[in-house]
Amino acid sequence: MHALEKILARAAGKAQVRAGEMVTAAVDLAEINDLYLQVIQSFQAMGGKSVWDPDKVVFVFDHYSPPPTPKAADNHRIMREFAAAGGITHLFDINAGVCHQVMPEAGLVRPGMVLVATDSHTTTHGAFGAFATGVGATDLAVALIRGTLWFVVPEVVKIQLTGKLGPGTAAKDVVLGLLQRLRADGAVYKAIEYAGPALADFSIAERMVICNMAVEMGAKTTYIQPDGKVRAYLAERGIKDYPVYTTDPDYEYAEVHEFDVGEVEPLLAAPHSVDNVHPVGDYAGKAVNQAFIGTCTGGRLEDLEMAAKVLRGRKIPPGVRLVITPASKEVFLKAIETGCIQGLVEAGATVTSPGCGPCLGIHQGMLGPGEVCITASSRNFPGRMGSPQAEIYVASPLTVAASALRGRITDPREVLEEGS
Amino acid sequence: MGKLQGRAFIFKDNVDTDQIYPGRYLELTDPKAIGAHAMEGADPAFAAKVRPGDIIVAGRNFGCGSSREHAVITLKEAGVGAVLALSFGRIFYRNAINLGLPAIRLVDEPKLEEGDLLTIDLEGGTITVSSGDVQSFVPFPPEIREIIQGGGIIPLVKSEQQE
Ligand code: SF4
């Protein structure tokens, strides 16, 4: 069996499960973000009285942090009241950050667990060896009542990463390269496992980036075999007790792909699809109105540091908006401590409160018709960040920062070679 | 499960949930208000054109992207009777089943034109086009058929709660 199958078998109380089988699995953690008051509405429509386990339920107010409209503020109020009435232990309010950063930082994500959240980027937590997947609001409400959900055991696609990242490239370029090869529906209904020597070199932050964007290939979940880096991350948060499952040597993968990360160059996904991937050079010179660094994909300390490396001591041109949204309060505080925030603000950045920022087009940096944005987030769907007539280019934090600096799409190697 | 009938509205591959229901309306919670924005990002005139029972026919990966259940609520409220596609984003698929909107996986590229009248036989697993052509689809597994037959997961769980 695959490690993911062992997790599901344990959660379903079975000795064995196989790909394609439908199982009812116990949920270890259920997270609700502030977009989905529908969870509470469905919970009530189903006659829900109390949640199955208040210690395993998490609310994170990240998309509307702080609330941009009276309606959003009121949705928060109802969620706070629901959480208080149900004795729910974990509620991260508008100052905390985006759920996929906040939950691991708080030590809530552990290897071997079944984690569901009302967000597609829940695949991020495969970086810690969890079975983690996004579900809809009513599904989550079912989990709140029953403590279980049905899943089809997925086939697993293994991606073997070799080589070493070259100058001016980042984990983001690796996952864009994979999207170029596997396409937006390359892993629909399947799990993606990342492995190989390059993966062993990747930091937790880098692993989270490639697991996060696996959902752009349609993946249901991801998996990385927990190693010393994961154990150290958890130990820092006082967590030592968790099962670590391993894949049996005779397990047969649905597909195996090799990918040399050393061959990847700075890439971008051009409008309006995540798999419309090209070398940054193909679009070099295109004027940008906004550059955005943040989100559950590209708003960690490492991402802000990449941007600061490009921008410290320099100035972005007038008329270019550079929006920085730290992924969490912890990231924000560390970035203040390291001087990264100061460097970015001096270069001309606008820093917003931790959370999703302008990623999903509701506030804090929306795009007007005809505007061009380059972003370290994950999606460039039409209308994603505001006007459907805007163009969104998805790239690494290095590329976004270099493009902000020049006011036009720029291969970061050009700027890095100049030195700072 | 009986038969469904409606006119076909054709969409391409990879229609994401931001096109089905743009993010800026996610704070809405009243189903009627949600229904007014159906498919707005792909075809702003859709909500005005669609009539009860009409059917969306799409290519691969319909509903990819976010987990927003609004994408299903908006289609249901706008009157869409079923969605046919070569494949679905998996969260959209789950949401559709949970809310009782038939999401049907086609076996082959759909051979039909915008506006054709379609008759779907959920039991028999066939789609008959007004031109006379008949196509088949992947039948639902029994667990999913049970949810759809019951009008979605809400009434099902509700009856458990009352036992
Ligand atoms: S940062 Fe963007 S992609 Fe991540 S959870 Fe928030 S809206 Fe979704």
Side-chain angles (χ1 to χ4, degrees), chain A residues 62-63 98-100 119 121 295-297 355-356 359-360 378 384:
Chain A
D62 47 5
H63 293 70
V98 52
C99 57
H100 304 306
D119 192 88
H121 288 101
T295 79
C296 62
T297 313
C356 298
C359 177
L360 81 162
S378 55
R384 172 78 184 179

Side-chain angles (χ1 to χ4, degrees), chain A residues 354-366:
Chain A
C356 298
C359 177
L360 81 162
I362 49 178
H363 62 164
Q364 293 180 330
M366 291 177 58

Side-chain angles (χ1 to χ4, degrees), chain A residues 85-151:
Chain A
I88 286 163
T89 329
H90 306 287
L91 184 144
F92 296 92
D93 218 302
I94 60 154
N95 60 341
V98 52
C99 57
H100 304 306
Q101 183 64 15
V102 165
M103 289 193 289
E105 280 175 354
L108 293 172
V109 180
R110 297 151 195 221
M113 75 180 347
V114 173
L115 190 172
V116 294
T118 52
D119 192 88
S120 59
H121 288 101
T122 306
T123 54
T124 308
H125 309 286
F128 301 96
F131 173 90
T133 190
V135 297
T138 299
D139 249 345
L140 203 292
V142 171
L144 291 185
I145 292 173
R146 291 179 173 167
T148 60
L149 274 182
W150 62 268
F151 298 103

